[in-house]
Amino acid sequence: MNNRNINAIISIASVVIMLIWGTLAGSYRHAWIAVFIGGVLITCLSLYNKGRADTDKADTDKAGGNGGESSKGENDPAEK
């Protein structure tokens, strides 16, 4: 699942939880904590995914350069 989809789901869920909590409690005095926790979860998930992507990139670089592509760049002159 895409990180953007998960972030949207967490955001919507945290607001819904805040609304339900505030309605059941009769006050939104502490219900905002649900949105704060949702933001923390999104941040942790983003950092985790960024670290995983960096690790995957480092593993690819160790395994063979640029992922199996030829080392010849697009701007290199043509061979004669």
Side-chain angles (χ1 to χ4, degrees):
M1 187 176 255
N2 191 352
N3 193 29
R4 292 171 71 184
N5 294 340
I6 295 172
N7 288 349
I9 291 169
I10 292 172
S11 297
I12 293 169
S14 65
V15 171
V16 169
I17 291 169
M18 180 193 75
L19 292 173
I20 292 171
W21 183 358
T23 302
L24 292 176
S27 170
Y28 289 92
R29 187 174 195 170
H30 299 291
W32 63 269
I33 293 172
V35 176
F36 176 78
I37 291 171
V40 170
L41 285 173
I42 290 171
T43 302
C44 291
L45 182 65
S46 297
L47 290 174
Y48 171 76
N49 285 335
K50 182 179 185 307
R52 192 176 69 184
D54 289 345
T55 302
D56 291 345
K57 183 176 184 270
D59 290 344
T60 302
D61 289 345
K62 285 181 185 176
N66 52 7
E69 305 268 335
S70 68
S71 62
K72 191 160 189 70
E74 291 178 348
N75 295 329
D76 291 342
E79 293 182 25
K80 292 186 179 185

